[in-house]
């Protein structure tokens, strides 16, 4: 019993953070930005420079921020406002929305909700932009960035639950760097806010729901684009065995966009790779035959042919940047052909399979339980209510 009280308190701390509602997301993480434009789209923003209120910006106010000798120059079209170490753009409404466009280097317009804080990274050579945004709005942006806008509402409910679970399990990942999560696939892709009605509905209708395992721990909510017909157990990719990420046969994705792929490389490159990286005896013609004809007829394998060498397929996938480890190899003339199935690491939810299941009117709970075993949905809002009683 004591264990469950501790776990309930642990989850409660997440539930409070979900209702206290905001998260600090570093945006444009992978871009080295030296100058950008900020402009509100909805509402009024107060602009603070080093803690002092400088201006408020109504639509269509435009501010440009540029790095200059270890500090940030803030300008409008008309004038230079000043030089600062940090700037904050704080929305005065709950629906505040702004756009950002990188000027140096040239970048696309991206839109976000709520607040923005602007500083420089430690070496002062690029901006650190942090979007302080309500968690549920962030989840909407992630769901759209990770799965597009063409799926059905039922699918978006499930994807929202998984993205929320993933966030809460990784919520302190970047704390030492001054934010909580980044907007790159390292955490979860977050390219913009969402404006899609079904994505928003999927997030709203599952508000506070997360997935836990039998021990009430938040699960590693792994997902990938297409499994090619069979998902992969977590220990075969990450050497981490879990009770809920097992391999399942999946026929729902096998006719979808990313179900099949092909790639070819010169035979010489393949020989050199095996010999140099894996010390494979390619001069032995029988051995070379083995290495130029390979298939996985009875489902996914973990290793490439030679039982002694045991080259993990995931190593070959990484070295040749293949879409998946679920491939066969054959030689035609002076080329090696990879014929593959699926796209991604293959662990957990197969997005294209799950989208198809949702189109077939399966409920998000049925889809969840198909791809993850022995898991449970927990409503953090209910938990919070229960704890306050
Ligand atoms: Zn990250
Ligand atoms: Zn699949």
């Amino acid at each position: 019993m004591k264990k469950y009280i501790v776990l309930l308190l642990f989850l409660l701390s997440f539930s409070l953070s979900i209702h206290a509602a905001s998260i600090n997301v570093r945006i444009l993480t992978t871009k080295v930005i030296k100058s950008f434009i900020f402009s509100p789209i909805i509402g009024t923003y107060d602009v603070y420079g080093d803690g002092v209120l400088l201006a408020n910006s109504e639509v269509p106010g435009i501010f440009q921020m540029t790095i200059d000798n270890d500090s940030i120059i803030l300008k409008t079209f008309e004038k230079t406002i000043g030089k600062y170490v940090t700037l904050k753009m704080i929305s005065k409404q709950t629906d505040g929305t702004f756009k950002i466009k990188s000027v140096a280097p040239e970048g696309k317009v991206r839109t976000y909700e709520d607040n923005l804080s602007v500083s420089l990274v430690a070496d002062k050579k690029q901006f650190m932009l942090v979007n302080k945004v309500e968690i549920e709005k962030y989840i909407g942006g992630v769901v759209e960035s990770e799965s597009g806008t063409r799926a059905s509402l039922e699918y978006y409910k499930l994807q929202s639950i998984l993205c929320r679970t993933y966030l809460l399990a990784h919520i302190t990942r970047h704390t030492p760097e001054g934010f909580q999560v980044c907007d790159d696939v390292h955490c979860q892709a977050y390219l913009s806010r969402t404006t899609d009605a079904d994505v928003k509905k999927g997030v709203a209708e599952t508000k506070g729901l997360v997935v836990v395992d039998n021990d009430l721990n938040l699960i590693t909510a792994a997902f990938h684009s297409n499994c090619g017909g069979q998902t992969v157990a977590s220990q075969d990719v990450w050497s981490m065995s879990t009770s809920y990420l097992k391999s399942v046969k999946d026929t729902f994705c096998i006719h979808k966009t990313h179900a099949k792929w092909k790639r070819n490389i010169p035979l010489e490159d393949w020989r050199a790779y095996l010999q140099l990286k894996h010390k494979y005896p390619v001069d032995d013609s029988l051995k070379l035959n083995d290495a130029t004809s390979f298939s996985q007829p009875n489902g996914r394998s973990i290793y490439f042919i030679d039982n002694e060498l045991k080259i993990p397929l995931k190593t070959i996938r990484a070295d040749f940047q293949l879409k998946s480890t679920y491939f066969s190899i054959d030689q035609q003339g002076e080329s090696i052909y990879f014929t593959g199935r699926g796209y991604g690491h293959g662990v957990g939810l197969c997005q294209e399979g799950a989208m198809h299941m949702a189109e077939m009117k399966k409920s998000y709970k049925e889809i969840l339980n198909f791809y993850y075993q022995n898991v449970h949905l927990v409503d953090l809002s209910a938990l919070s209510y229960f704890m306050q009683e």
Side-chain angles (χ1 to χ4, degrees), residues 224 226-231 250-254 350-353 371:
H224 58 277
N226 185 310
C227 72
Q230 185 186 354
T231 69
D250 176 8
T251 55
F252 297 103
C253 64
I254 54 180
C350 164
Q351 289 181 303
E352 289 187 340
Y371 289 105

Side-chain angles (χ1 to χ4, degrees), residues 303-312:
Y303 298 104
F304 182 61
I305 42 154
D306 192 305
N307 289 332
E308 285 162 42
L309 274 178
K310 276 195 175 271
I311 304 172

Side-chain angles (χ1 to χ4, degrees), residues 173-174 181-182 184 186-187:
R173 203 172 203 184
H174 290 283
V181 289
C182 71
D184 186 38
H186 170 260
C187 290

